[in-house]
Amino acid sequence: SEPVSNKHPDGTKDQISKEYLFDNNEIRVSNVYPNPVNDYAHFDYALSNRDIQAYIVIHDVLGGDIGEFPLPAYDRQLKISTSNINPGVYFYTLKLGNENVITKKMVIRR
């Protein structure tokens, strides 16, 4: 899908994918962007239920955890530096509580 532009009050813009990784009445999480990732992986999200414990978990093709990143209810974007991650194919999973909800692929390039 074609990205849409989201303008902030300070004049900066985000590229936001129209497609969501997950979307229900309590949480909405975008797919990673850009994909392939260069320096930072971005996820836009919104939590309407502040009691939800939501995370993005990144793992390699063998299932090894690279990192688990919380999605705090007070924030709207997760920005993950990929400078410590070798280029290659990885997977990201949305985790709600202790349940893995959905997994998708991302590529890290330099």
Side-chain angles (χ1 to χ4, degrees):
S1 76
E2 196 171 306
V4 294
S5 185
N6 186 23
K7 194 166 185 179
H8 295 278
D10 65 2
T12 62
K13 292 182 180 181
D14 287 337
Q15 291 298 313
I16 299 174
S17 171
K18 292 178 184 176
E19 293 182 21
Y20 293 102
L21 173 66
F22 188 79
D23 187 4
N24 71 12
N25 62 346
E26 294 185 327
I27 182 171
R28 175 184 290 167
V29 182
S30 74
N31 285 307
V32 68
Y33 69 93
N35 195 3
V37 176
N38 288 316
D39 299 321
Y40 292 94
H42 296 89
F43 296 87
D44 295 321
Y45 67 94
L47 299 177
S48 58
N49 179 346
R50 298 200 175 267
D51 295 328
I52 290 179
Q53 300 295 310
Y55 307 87
I56 294 292
V57 181
I58 297 177
H59 40 97
D60 62 25
V61 293
L62 300 177
D65 279 352
I66 301 300
E68 183 172 289
F69 304 89
L71 302 177
Y74 58 81
D75 211 343
R76 303 209 26 106
Q77 186 182 71
L78 173 65
K79 182 178 177 183
I80 301 169
S81 171
T82 60
S83 62
N84 296 345
I85 305 173
N86 290 328
V89 174
Y90 294 87
F91 294 91
Y92 61 95
T93 299
L94 174 63
K95 184 175 173 183
L96 299 178
N98 292 322
E99 182 182 347
N100 292 337
V101 177
I102 188 167
T103 299
K104 288 211 173 173
K105 181 173 79 170
M106 75 175 181
V107 176
I108 297 177
R109 289 191 184 150
R110 297 275 184 270

